[in-house]
Amino acid sequence: MSLFNTILTRGGALRSALLCAAFAAAVTVSGCQIRPLYGTSTGDFGSTPSPVAADLAAIDLESIPTQFANDDAVRVLYNELTFRFERGAGSAAKKYRLKVLVDVNSAAVGVERFADVPAAYTTTMNSTFVLSDINTDETLFTGRTFKSASYDFSNQRFANKRAFRDAQGRVAKAVAEDISARIAGYFASKS
């Protein structure tokens, strides 16, 4: 006899407790809401646009200073953030300002045996961002993020420069993804 049949055939408290637990689980799960973060949702009254997408499009991204970073890495970060906020559409009226500061470092992580020459490097981008209201200049959300990417080092100069540039692009895209997701989460928690 299976456990399920045993529970159904025996009377009393165990069956009542099981039914109460099933009812409580159904009530708990029915309260869950799944809403799209960026897109439109279709409800009883047609499709409604996501307020998060509108808030993200209303962010004015300040130019990112290149004092502690390579121009290429900063350019990739700026372009990725702009695309993630505006989604390729025309820019809306700006209500928020985002200031981003970055620092890019590179360090040797592997050394070739008997040659004392680096075999691999890692590139790390540290970023601090501040989201504020344009009208009141009130700080709404702040955060820090960092990402790393490694690349191989060889005896070919052009290959090394290209690998370094590719690693910077990868960390810039990862940092942009993290910043946009955290800001989208902030806007989603407000609505």
Side-chain angles (χ1 to χ4, degrees), residues 66-80 102-107 121-127 146-152 159-177:
T66 60
Q67 182 179 5
F68 301 108
N70 187 323
D71 289 342
D72 293 334
V74 169
R75 178 184 41 80
V76 170
L77 178 64
Y78 184 85
N79 289 342
E80 283 291 319
V102 295
D103 176 23
V104 178
N105 294 316
S106 194
Y121 279 87
T122 184
T123 298
T124 303
M125 178 180 278
N126 296 309
S127 175
F146 75 95
K147 299 294 178 185
S148 297
S150 61
Y151 63 95
D152 292 334
N160 293 334
K161 288 186 180 239
R162 187 63 211 160
F164 174 66
R165 192 172 175 189
D166 180 60
Q168 284 188 334
R170 285 185 283 143
V171 295
K173 287 179 182 180
V175 165
E177 181 178 340

Side-chain angles (χ1 to χ4, degrees), residues 107-123:
V109 293
V111 177
E112 282 189 29
R113 198 173 191 181
F114 305 119
D116 270 347
V117 177
Y121 279 87
T122 184
T123 298

Side-chain angles (χ1 to χ4, degrees), residues 59-64 77-78 81-82 85 96 98-100:
I59 294 176
D60 179 31
L61 180 62
E62 287 188 358
S63 64
I64 303 171
L77 178 64
Y78 184 85
L81 285 173
T82 301
F85 292 151
Y96 309 102
L98 181 67
K99 183 171 182 145
V100 180

Side-chain angles (χ1 to χ4, degrees), residues 9-85:
T9 57
R10 292 191 183 176
L14 185 59
R15 184 173 41 196
S16 297
L18 182 64
L19 288 174
C20 287
F23 179 73
V27 168
T28 302
V29 170
S30 69
C32 293
Q33 294 181 2
I34 298 175
R35 296 177 292 167
L37 190 59
Y38 301 111
T40 59
S41 62
T42 55
D44 297 334
F45 304 109
S47 66
T48 57
S50 170
V52 173
D55 284 338
L56 288 176
I59 294 176
D60 179 31
L61 180 62
E62 287 188 358
S63 64
I64 303 171
T66 60
Q67 182 179 5
F68 301 108
N70 187 323
D71 289 342
D72 293 334
V74 169
R75 178 184 41 80
V76 170
L77 178 64
Y78 184 85
N79 289 342
E80 283 291 319
L81 285 173
T82 301
F83 180 74
R84 289 178 182 278
F85 292 151

